[in-house]
Amino acid sequence: MAQRKTGDGRTVVDGPATMTPSEAFVETLVANGVTDIFGIMGSAFMDAMDIFAPAGIRLVPVVHEQGAAHMADGYARVSGRHGVVIGQNGPGISNCVTAIAAAYWAHSPVVIVTPEAGTMGMGLGGFQEANQLPMFQEFTKYQAHVNNPRRMAELTGRAFDRAMSEIGPTQLNIPRDFFYGEIEAEIPDPQRLDRGPGGDQSLNEAAELLASAEFPVIISGGGVVMADGVEECKALAERLGAPVVNSYLHNDSFPASHPQWCGPLGYQGSKAAMKLISQADVVVALGSRLGPFGTLPQHGMDYWPKNAKIIQIDADHKMLGLVKKITVGICGDAKAAAAALTQRLEGRTLACDATREQRAATTKAEKDAWEAELTAWTHETDPFSLDMIAEQEQEEGGWLHPRQVLRELEKAMPPRVMVSTDIGNINSVANSYLRFEEPRSFLAPMSFGNCGYALPTVIGAKAAAPDRPAIAYAGDGAWGMSMGEIMTAVRHDIPVTAVVFHNRQWGAEKKNQVDFYNRRFVAGELDNESFAGIARAMGADGVVVDKLEDVGPALRKAVDAQMNDGRTTVVEVMCTRELGDPFRRDALSKPVRFLPKYQDYV
């Protein structure tokens, strides 16, 4: 039987051959470079699972399938390759929906393999039966259903190809009885698109706009990271002398040490970035869909420039002009488009050349002012936060201001770190303090905003890049949804570090109750046992930090234990109940009551 070598040195059947559908499925995984799959074992795919090991595939068993899909997301985002998740038909698959939705909005090439109830039992209400394709219809780029065992290799290969070409999750749905039998199959070679820069006309129009721009600003988005286009973005920015701002939750899309880096837009972003983009006459949105949550007013500033000409570059043509009115839309790869624009500007005299030094000075002044403000911003100053600070000063124990903690964590970050953040108040404030030097370093649940994201995602990231430090941030509410995956990290030697902000509340929602409901707190308080103690019970190290001077050393020690001793550590930081700005001031309205018994509830 003929065989061919894969890129990672494994072998795969070459040409048509007799095999079982399980063998066709596994051989196609090998052809696509799959070495790690996250999930929980199940009888529905056990025949294929039985031959994972000789194929060079590791199944990483998790605590909960949502965690598995988050791990696949983190793995994909850090490696640039597929992340793969699998589970038992029915409940194992339905547990993955939330995490696949998060991967969808992160544009992660995750393949979810969904073994399904057998074909002879479908529609009879059998054990663990579910119609699994509609569950993921909204959150996948492509859905393959194996309708005949002889199509196993074909459809498996297509699911993997489409995840990369469509830049997002795909689903491979397989009736459990279709893993068995004898078929003739040929394992397809992976198909990878060679993406171009966009059309000549739109690129020429964009170049002309940039040539006449006096204050151009570049938004470096997630597409820059996915295209490995940071160097090309830098070259374009340096030719223009343009400030570069990160799109929301893509703080790793431009190096923070670069003098033209200005920080992120969006919720709890950089005032420097916002003030500078507000002055722009031309904005280049490079690899960004300009999502609505990432361009909302913040810090009291409605900063999006009203009269600027917008050049938007995205690999998905459906995103062009969807959220913001644009002047030129370029459907192309962010890396290739940036290089094409830089080439078109070579040797030309640009309008912005004359003001390069002045704009550089303006950029530096805004950045310096923002850094000074951040350093001085030791705690929140709204009335509720001041009340909470005063109240906790009367309590026993050390309670730390979240902003001071985040600044100390920032200072202690190791080189090449990967950080994942959960959703919530303190985690959102962290957006101001997270800076990176290389792409594929920052992982967040994006606009799906689900809790329980940070820990499993960073475990997947660590599995993809074991040589890089991996740190998760979570508040105590979100932590409760995912902390069981500490057992996954410990059991399977995937060491990570988690920082848990223990402030005993659902902070983001509680902020709405402060602002709109006169501090009537319903279901917002969390009285917790020690998370460090729970971590130790799960086999990890646990550290409680209640002094500001211990924050940095605790993180450094935990990262050292991760990198040198293979130890997972939970750093539990005791924080005050002060709260940062709400997610959106326009998200709620002041309550109105008409019935007499509710009239006091306004």
Side-chain angles (χ1 to χ4, degrees), residues 451-467:
C451 291
Y453 173 92
L455 174 63
T457 303
V458 93
I459 292 172
K462 183 70 174 182
D467 60 319

Side-chain angles (χ1 to χ4, degrees), residues 36-40 59-60 62 68-69 71-72 75 84-86 460 463 494:
D36 295 273
I37 300 176
F38 303 92
I40 294 179
L59 177 63
V60 179
V62 300
M71 290 177 202
Y75 188 98
V84 185
V85 56
I86 195 168
I494 310 174

